[in-house]
Amino acid sequence: MSKEEQTLRIDFDNMLANRIGGLYGITREELETQRVQAAKYFQELMEERSKGSHPFLELPYQKEVADRILKVARQFIGRVEDFVVLGIGGSALGNIALHRVLNPPNYNELKEERKDFPRIHIIDTIDPDIFSGLLRLIKLEKTAFNVISKSGSTVETMAQFLIVRNLLKERLGRNYNRHIIATTDPENGALRQIAQREGYITFDIPKGVGGRFSVLSPVGLLSAAVSGIDINRLLSGAGNMDYRCRSDSLWENPALMNSILQYISYTKGRHISVIMPYSSALEGVAEWFCQLWAESLGKRLSLEGQVVNCGPTPVKALGPKDQHSQLQLYMEGPYNKVITFLAVDKFNSTVGIHDAPEEDLQYLSGHTLGGLMEAERKGTQIALTEAGRPNCTIYLPELSAFHVGELLYMFQLQTVLAGKFFRVNAFDQPGVEAGKINTFALLGRKGFEERKKVLGAFLSRLS
Ligand code: PA5
């Protein structure tokens, strides 16, 4: 098979009753019962898409945007030593995922290998120690900051931005604005107004594309391009997955099949959805997926307005590390989990294990670390299957931009389809508002005076 023909593969067999038994596996009849409904939901989604409702699905085809990103990226490559992303949640996790999976491990330390490409720092925290650590590391005059916020008002990102803007002004005077790129809503929000007023380079987060669905927009693509990731291949991979997911038949559409298997598992008591890559590079993708799955599906109200308090709990594990930590629980604990393995057919490096004179270690002779990784993954997969624990495996032929694009696109589509099965709005996040309001009140933001009084009374009862 040629490189171009290779594509992501998914093996669902270990989810099914004929593999793991009828008690915990999904039967053909259960799938058959949902088949017509699944087709209906898929057609509904495509209908909504044709009316422009889900612009994230069109991101693979934004050629002009990709061209402009590459143009702007070239302005910074070779001119700055550090490129810092300021953002949080969906405005950072996609960047982290891309950087970790498509740049070499220890990328920032590989000065020779990186050549002109700057170091990348994605600061999705307001931890003062991390922030001051960053400031000690970089030279402001040799750094560009990409401030990313769809709303343009997220407290963590705006706090980071205010610090950086001030420092840049102090150090660089009137040219400070050349060091800030704002990625935000095309019209609304404080960040958009500031960027326009102060003359930053800006990128739009398209209308209707929410944070956790924005990795293939300028949100994720700019820092990727600045570090030399082939964003056009990433988008082609996403487009290829879009093409593969055009059927309303479960057996032909991996995103639809994944969503229904996860949904049926949930209805049968498998409330925890573990994602377990056997590749450290994919750990960031697993974290990104956890946010996508949790924020999209964890909801109090159904689309019909009933209180449902539903949603699978995503958990990230890492192979083989978590074989020595979580696996005991997955093998023998409650039957409340479904496990998705991420496997890589071919790692970027081959590291042979040296022959051992010690008899007990001779079985390792002639093997590689990649081969050992595969044996451990297969061993774990079979052990779980034999123990009646539902699991499936997504295989990436290699860690390339194309296959990562396929994976990210499939996960996003799968999430929206799962939202239809769960009957929830996959695009909102009302549950995070309460905490935000309390934070604003505690910080004394105008308009939150009443809430401040309530919190004051609450806190005095505690003390
Ligand atoms: O996925 C989401 O919508 C959220 O996680 C947001 O990305 C996060 O809250 C940050 O929001 P914003 O991009 O508006 O700063």
Side-chain angles (χ1 to χ4, degrees), residues 101-361:
V101 69
L102 293 172
N103 282 325
N106 310 314
Y107 165 92
N108 280 356
E109 279 76 54
L110 301 174
K111 197 168 181 340
E112 300 277 294
E113 215 174 292
R114 272 194 292 111
K115 300 196 177 95
D116 280 348
F117 294 111
R119 294 190 292 193
I120 303 288
H121 314 270
I122 301 150
I123 310 296
D124 62 343
T125 176
I126 42 167
D127 181 323
D129 294 333
I130 299 284
F131 214 80
S132 66
L134 171 81
L135 296 175
R136 283 203 299 275
L137 192 70
I138 61 177
K139 293 188 214 90
L140 286 171
E141 59 280 14
K142 287 274 176 196
T143 302
F145 294 89
N146 184 194
V147 192
I148 307 179
S149 175
K150 167 87 180 169
S151 61
S153 60
T154 299
V155 63
E156 295 88 350
T157 309
M158 294 319 279
Q160 294 174 329
F161 164 70
L162 293 179
I163 297 165
V164 160
R165 179 176 66 172
N166 224 43
L167 289 171
L168 285 170
K169 272 185 180 170
E170 275 171 17
R171 178 71 57 85
L172 307 174
R174 50 199 283 274
N175 286 338
Y176 79 95
N177 59 357
R178 296 191 191 161
H179 292 249
I180 304 176
I181 306 136
T183 305
T184 187
D185 185 270
E187 295 159 19
N188 301 320
L191 183 58
R192 171 60 61 181
Q193 316 310 326
I194 297 169
Q196 268 164 3
R197 199 173 57 236
E198 303 191 7
Y200 308 156
I201 295 175
T202 58
F203 281 96
D204 294 348
I205 307 177
K207 290 269 181 217
V209 174
R212 57 193 177 273
F213 295 94
S214 68
V215 58
L216 299 174
S217 78
V219 170
L221 296 183
L222 181 62
S223 69
V226 165
S227 65
I229 290 172
D230 188 342
I231 61 168
N232 280 318
R233 290 296 292 157
L234 186 74
L235 295 175
S236 314
N240 187 52
M241 185 52 73
D242 181 25
Y243 175 74
R244 285 181 63 193
C245 294
R246 286 298 175 115
S247 166
D248 63 8
S249 156
L250 282 183
W251 302 98
E252 284 164 31
N253 183 334
L256 190 57
M257 183 58 124
N258 254 342
S259 62
I260 197 164
L261 289 173
Q262 293 281 335
Y263 172 70
I264 298 176
S265 298
Y266 183 87
T267 60
K268 295 178 79 169
R270 254 56 77 213
H271 286 182
I272 298 176
S273 180
V274 177
I275 178 158
M276 186 165 182
Y278 270 74
S279 149
S280 298
L282 283 166
E283 208 177 356
V285 170
E287 265 169 25
W288 168 85
F289 172 77
C290 285
Q291 188 234 3
L292 179 67
W293 204 237
E295 237 180 17
S296 303
L297 302 178
K299 299 288 153 79
R300 188 172 80 90
L301 294 179
S302 71
L303 289 171
E304 290 75 27
Q306 280 161 342
V307 176
V308 284
N309 295 119
C310 73
T313 301
V315 169
K316 184 203 76 180
L318 181 65
K321 186 174 85 171
D322 280 308
Q323 285 179 210
H324 303 269
S325 164
Q326 302 294 303
L327 187 61
Q328 169 61 30
L329 174 70
Y330 302 169
M331 281 291 289
E332 296 188 357
Y335 282 86
N336 59 358
K337 296 171 201 68
V338 46
I339 295 154
T340 301
F341 293 110
L342 300 181
V344 181
D345 293 336
K346 192 174 172 298
F347 284 89
N348 292 327
S349 328
T350 306
V351 182
I353 303 171
H354 294 182
D355 289 347
E358 296 82 5
E359 206 182 323
D360 274 4
L361 297 175

